[in-house]
Amino acid sequence: MTITNNNNNNPRATVLITGCSAGGIGSALVEDFHARGLHVFATARSLAKMAHLESLPHVTLLELDVESSTSIAAAVETITSKTGAKLDYLVNNSGINLNYPALDTDLEYARRMFEVNFWGAVNVVQAFAPLMVARGSGTIVNNASLAGAMHTPWGSFYGASKAAVKMYGECLRLEMAPLGVKVVTVMTGIVGSKIFENSPHEALPETSYYKVAEKEIAELAAGKLKESSMSAETYARNVVGDILGGANGVTWRGRISSIGWFLSSFVPTWLTDRALVTGSGLDRM
């Protein structure tokens, strides 16, 4: 298979994106990259979840489980054979969410969330970076979150996993620079997707210290913030523009991401605390 631009027979730039199930950010990224002339390797744990992308002529669908070294290795082999061991952009988008009190959280789920959100990205970078280093160019993109910068109640483990992604990405950026590879960390704000639908919504245990806040916690877990979200299509257009425009380092995209940047960078902690606690249910304890 030769990936070329039909207009001039020049090779198309290539991008691999994880977490491309229908209705999510990854799917919107696939469509925007594709519209800009790239060949997209769209991945998810199941091909059925990406059936809506089958008709796009320059999209290759691949099963890829970021928790499985075997699955990742198979994807590397496939892309190497189809591109001649070339990859221009790698976008780590896979992720799962949790909004729940830290003391009541099922720690097995919390560990799995780190496996997907943090270690999944690390696993994919380790596997695909050689395709970029060999060329001395390329961009690695890790989807972090505003939650990785803001200490929001009920978001301890999710925020911690995304804070880990941010720190990893920024250290990796310095280490990859001499090798000619850029690293972008996207601090994603509120974006319309199915991440809330796919996260746990269990009621609090009767012994929870936070029963009084159960209504607020349940509303947050069910996606209350989606009411003020940016569309995945608008978000993708902004992010892809950043990436193809040569971005390097931390970028802030999505609804209220600029506010989050300002609060986390300049506002005293006591004032941020007050803003974050208000309406969370903690203000009624």
Side-chain angles (χ1 to χ4, degrees):
M1 173 183 178
T2 303
I3 298 173
T4 58
N5 188 317
N6 292 335
N7 294 327
N8 53 26
N9 290 326
N10 289 330
R12 287 178 179 270
T14 55
V15 55
L16 168 73
I17 307 172
T18 67
C20 299
S21 298
I25 286 174
S27 175
L29 289 169
V30 170
E31 296 193 42
D32 202 279
F33 272 115
H34 180 268
R36 299 188 195 218
L38 281 78
H39 187 95
V40 185
F41 292 97
T43 75
R45 291 167 62 97
S46 166
L47 292 179
K49 293 182 177 181
M50 301 184 291
H52 64 294
L53 300 171
E54 286 180 340
S55 62
L56 297 178
H58 301 292
V59 171
T60 300
L61 304 182
L62 297 175
E63 285 188 358
L64 194 160
D65 179 355
V66 300
E67 298 178 79
S68 166
S69 58
T70 302
S71 177
I72 294 171
V76 171
E77 183 177 349
T78 298
I79 292 174
T80 297
S81 66
K82 289 181 178 296
T83 67
K86 297 177 181 179
L87 185 64
D88 296 288
Y89 302 97
L90 168 63
V91 182
N92 284 302
N93 172 70
S94 293
I96 56 177
N97 186 40
L98 178 68
N99 295 108
Y100 212 65
L103 294 181
D104 297 320
T105 294
D106 177 350
L107 297 186
E108 286 303 312
Y109 182 85
R111 290 188 183 95
R112 179 169 181 252
M113 186 163 56
F114 265 84
E115 285 294 329
V116 175
N117 294 1
F118 176 67
W119 287 111
V122 172
N123 292 338
V124 172
V125 168
Q126 293 278 74
F128 284 96
L131 276 65
M132 297 178 173
V133 173
R135 305 181 66 193
S137 65
T139 301
I140 296 168
V141 183
N142 296 318
N143 190 358
S145 171
L146 187 58
M150 303 293 294
H151 47 284
T152 307
W154 324 127
S156 56
F157 291 106
Y158 178 73
S161 72
K162 291 300 188 176
V165 170
K166 179 177 183 291
M167 182 57 70
Y168 166 72
E170 281 294 86
C171 293
L172 184 67
R173 176 174 59 83
L174 299 179
E175 296 174 15
M176 297 296 282
L179 304 176
V181 179
K182 297 176 182 177
V183 179
V184 176
T185 301
V186 186
M187 303 299 286
T188 299
I190 305 172
V191 178
S193 73
K194 292 186 176 181
I195 192 169
F196 291 103
E197 297 174 24
N198 297 327
S199 62
H201 298 83
E202 285 85 0
L204 295 183
E206 291 302 318
T207 56
S208 175
Y209 298 116
Y210 306 103
K211 288 294 284 186
V212 69
E214 188 162 33
K215 175 177 177 291
E216 289 84 354
I217 295 169
E219 289 176 345
L220 184 62
K224 178 181 179 181
L225 294 177
K226 289 196 297 185
E227 299 171 2
S228 59
S229 66
M230 174 182 288
S231 72
E233 292 73 22
T234 299
Y235 170 85
R237 184 166 61 250
N238 292 336
V239 170
V240 174
D242 290 339
I243 296 167
L244 299 184
N248 196 23
V250 177
T251 64
W252 300 73
R253 289 296 185 181
R255 189 64 53 83
I256 76 166
S257 58
S258 297
I259 295 173
W261 167 78
F262 181 80
L263 289 175
S264 62
S265 301
F266 302 110
V267 176
T269 301
W270 67 267
L271 188 56
T272 303
D273 288 351
R274 181 177 297 179
L276 294 176
V277 166
T278 300
S280 70
L282 285 174
D283 48 346
R284 296 194 287 107
M285 291 183 66

